């Protein structure tokens, strides 16, 4: 069947920009690419414990068999959601099939017509897609810029208009997925309280990285009671699949009734939910992995300073370290050279990031060794300074 010319033209344009995406076989080399920050995706004990947990609870089902509002709400959901809420010091938690589903479900359903959504300009695509589906008006503020945010809050505050009461949702991430930096959460909480806004924080890349037990940045700063909703995602620090929105029981009930990405999808399998439950147990028992990850982050930052690479990198104290090297063709070439040298480092191209902000994205893990970190940064310095 003939393919539409308009679509062919878009593919050709991507190819000309050196930005055409394609699936490839898994790459070998030292892992500086995956989001598996503390190695849970290959944790043999977690795998064994999950299997035994299912056997002990009499589960041999391969799938959920339907949406949670029909036949898919097996009892493991209640156990996992109770565990998640307790771990995150929240009154309630609701599991979604992925972080994308959670963000699309929340932002398409919760903000109402007449409400305002103020979001950081670097928020993840899943947040932005959810906002596009919302009937609320939305405006972005400059990245981590509280002055720009306060300007918007002042302008769109209900006090400015002689209108019916409205609601403002203030949206950020605790660790931004492409830059690896964090917002001034304490200041955002103060602004939310000043303007009576509802703060929403995506903790996808902070779970398993920040906090005494990897709870995330919000809990590390003891701000959990000041945040309306947190989205925690399990495909990164927990090494498994799914996500949850933690907040009040009223929010939970609202999402069950109105979040379309929750209502109209088959639930997670018992195995997936059990893995989430056991991963949280494992996280509570992983102080050594958490500390090793933090040591590696500190060592990476020290090494890039010593090698004169610091000016290339976005400031970050997280497991995501990004070196800005503009140009799709250039950054793809550098990634290829690092891969040939034995390091799995990936290029992030425009339009995923703005043109001129193309980068190499280094993801650090508890299982990376100091010698591996030193070697990959030395290889990078030889490539960019040759």
């Amino acid at each position: 069947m003939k393919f539409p010319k308009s679509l062919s033209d878009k593919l050709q344009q991507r190819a000309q920009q050196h930005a055409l995406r394609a699936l490839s076989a898994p790459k070998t080399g030292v892992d500086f690419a995956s989001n598996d920050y503390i190695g849970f995706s290959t944790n043999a004990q977690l795998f064994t414990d999950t299997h035994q947990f299912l056997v002990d609870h009499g589960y041999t089902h391969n799938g959920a068999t339907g949406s949670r509002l029909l036949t898919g709400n097996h009892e493991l959901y209640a156990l996992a959601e109770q565990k998640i809420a307790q771990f995150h010091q929240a009154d309630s938690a609701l599991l979604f099939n992925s972080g994308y589903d959670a963000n699309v479900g929340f932002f398409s359903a919760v903000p109402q017509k007449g409400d305002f959504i103020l979001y950081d300009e670097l928020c993840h695509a899943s947040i932005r897609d959810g906002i596009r589906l919302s009937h609320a008006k939305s405006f972005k503020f400059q990245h981590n810029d509280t002055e720009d945010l306060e300007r918007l809050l002042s302008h769109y505050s209900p006090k400015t208009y002689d209108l019916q009461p409205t609601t403002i949702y203030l949206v950020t991430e605790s660790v931004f997925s492409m830059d690896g930096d964090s917002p001034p959460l304490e200041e955002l909480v103060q602004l939310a309280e000043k303007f009576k806004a509802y703060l929403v924080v995506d903790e996808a890349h902070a779970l398993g990285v920040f906090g005494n037990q990897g709870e995330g940045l919000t809990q590390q700063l003891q701000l959990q009671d000041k945040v309306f909703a947190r989205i925690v995602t399990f495909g990164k620090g927990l090494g498994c699949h799914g996500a949850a929105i933690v907040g009040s029981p009223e929010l939970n009930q609202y999402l069950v009734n109105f979040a379309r990405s929750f209502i109209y999808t088959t639930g997670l399998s018992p195995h997936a939910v059990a893995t989430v439950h056991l991963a949280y147990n494992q996280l509570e028992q992983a102080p050594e992995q958490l500390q090793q990850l933090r040591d590696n982050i500190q060592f990476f930052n020290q090494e890039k300073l010593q090698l004169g690479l610091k000016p290339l990198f976005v400031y970050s104290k997280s497991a995501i370290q990004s070196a800005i090297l503009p140009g799709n063709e250039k950054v793809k070439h550098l990634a290829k050279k690092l891969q040939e040298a034995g390091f799995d480092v990936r290029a992030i191209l425009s339009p995923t990031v703005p043109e001129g902000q193309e980068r190499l994205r280094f993801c650090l893990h508890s299982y990376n060794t100091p010698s591996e970190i030193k070697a990959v940064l030395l290889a990078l310095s030889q490539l960019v300074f040759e």
Side-chain angles (χ1 to χ4, degrees):
M1 184 176 289
K2 192 174 180 180
F3 195 66
K5 183 177 184 302
S6 59
L7 304 187
S8 295
D9 289 345
K10 291 188 75 171
L11 285 173
Q12 186 177 3
Q13 183 181 23
R14 277 284 173 90
Q16 290 170 348
Q17 295 169 342
H18 304 282
L20 187 65
R21 298 182 177 102
L23 298 175
S24 60
K27 292 181 170 60
T28 58
V30 180
D31 183 8
F32 287 106
S34 80
N35 294 323
D36 187 25
Y37 300 128
I38 49 179
F40 275 17
S41 75
T42 56
N43 187 294
Q45 189 63 54
L46 176 58
F47 184 88
T48 302
D49 289 349
T50 299
H51 175 74
Q52 190 60 50
F53 183 84
L54 290 166
V55 170
D56 292 345
H57 285 78
Y59 273 91
T60 57
H61 297 78
N62 294 316
T65 76
S67 73
R68 289 185 66 185
L69 288 169
L70 293 177
T71 61
N73 195 40
H74 47 80
E75 67 176 12
L76 299 184
Y77 267 110
L79 294 174
E81 287 170 342
Q82 182 179 9
K83 179 69 178 181
I84 294 164
Q86 178 185 20
F87 185 86
H88 289 292
Q89 297 178 286
D91 293 326
S92 180
L94 185 67
L95 273 162
F96 282 74
N97 286 16
S98 69
Y100 190 96
D101 282 343
N103 275 326
V104 167
F106 180 93
F107 289 104
S108 64
V110 174
Q112 301 295 295
K113 185 175 183 180
D115 292 342
F116 294 105
I117 306 170
L118 307 181
Y119 65 98
D120 190 291
E121 64 180 343
L122 295 189
C123 276
H124 191 265
S126 58
I127 294 174
R128 298 165 77 100
D129 287 354
I131 290 172
R132 288 190 187 100
L133 294 171
S134 171
H135 294 293
K137 294 182 179 179
S138 61
F139 303 91
K140 60 186 176 184
F141 59 90
Q142 295 176 24
H143 181 52
N144 288 342
D145 189 332
T146 54
E147 290 185 6
D148 189 44
L149 173 59
E150 186 164 12
R151 177 185 64 80
L152 289 171
L153 284 165
S154 298
H155 184 70
Y156 293 107
S157 169
K159 294 181 296 185
T160 306
Y161 304 100
D162 184 20
L163 297 173
Q164 292 295 318
T166 189
T167 301
I168 297 177
Y169 293 93
L170 169 54
V171 188
T172 191
E173 300 180 23
S174 54
V175 175
F176 286 88
S177 60
M178 289 296 107
D179 284 19
D181 58 348
S182 297
L185 271 182
E186 297 99 329
E187 294 180 48
L188 296 185
V189 164
Q190 291 171 4
L191 286 173
E193 290 179 340
K194 177 179 177 181
F195 291 95
K196 297 180 173 56
Y198 290 82
L199 180 59
V200 182
V201 181
D202 186 325
E203 293 260 30
H205 291 276
L207 179 61
V209 179
F210 290 96
N212 290 333
Q213 293 185 310
E215 306 97 325
L217 187 61
T218 302
Q219 282 172 263
Q220 177 175 297
L221 299 174
Q222 293 295 300
L223 298 173
Q224 61 271 13
D225 295 333
K226 308 288 188 181
V227 176
F228 175 64
R230 284 172 282 161
I231 295 89
V232 291
T233 302
F234 311 136
K236 284 80 176 174
L238 291 193
C240 50
H241 196 72
I245 297 177
V246 297
S248 69
E250 293 84 0
L251 175 61
N252 186 308
Q253 184 181 41
Y254 183 86
L255 292 168
V256 168
N257 279 274
F258 294 101
R260 294 171 69 86
S261 64
F262 174 88
I263 297 167
Y264 299 110
T265 190
T266 300
L268 290 167
S269 70
H271 188 278
V273 177
T275 304
V276 170
H277 181 77
L278 273 297
Y280 270 100
N281 285 347
Q282 188 83 9
L283 192 57
E284 292 174 327
Q285 303 165 22
E288 292 183 3
Q289 289 102 309
L290 293 172
Q291 188 56 51
Q292 187 58 58
L293 173 61
R294 291 162 189 162
D295 290 346
N296 284 347
I297 292 168
Q298 183 177 19
F299 184 73
F300 188 97
N301 280 319
Q302 291 171 345
E303 284 298 302
K304 73 187 186 189
L305 176 63
Q306 294 215 1
L307 290 167
L309 293 168
K310 184 178 178 180
L312 297 179
F313 280 83
V314 178
Y315 177 81
S316 168
K317 290 188 176 181
S318 77
I320 299 169
Q321 304 280 332
S322 290
I324 307 300
L325 296 154
N328 279 346
E329 190 172 9
K330 176 182 178 180
V331 77
K332 284 170 68 175
H333 170 75
L334 291 172
K336 184 173 182 291
K337 287 294 185 182
L338 289 174
Q339 290 160 14
E340 289 172 351
F343 305 104
D344 187 5
V345 178
R346 305 296 176 93
I348 306 296
L349 313 176
S350 58
T352 300
V353 293
E355 188 173 350
Q357 292 290 305
E358 296 83 5
R359 63 198 59 193
L360 292 174
R361 182 174 180 263
F362 296 79
C363 291
L364 304 179
H365 314 90
S366 60
Y367 49 84
N368 291 135
T369 65
S371 60
E372 289 168 348
I373 292 171
K374 187 185 271 293
V376 74
L377 286 175
L378 180 60
L380 176 64
S381 68
Q382 291 171 344
L383 286 169
V384 297
F385 296 140
E386 66 182 8

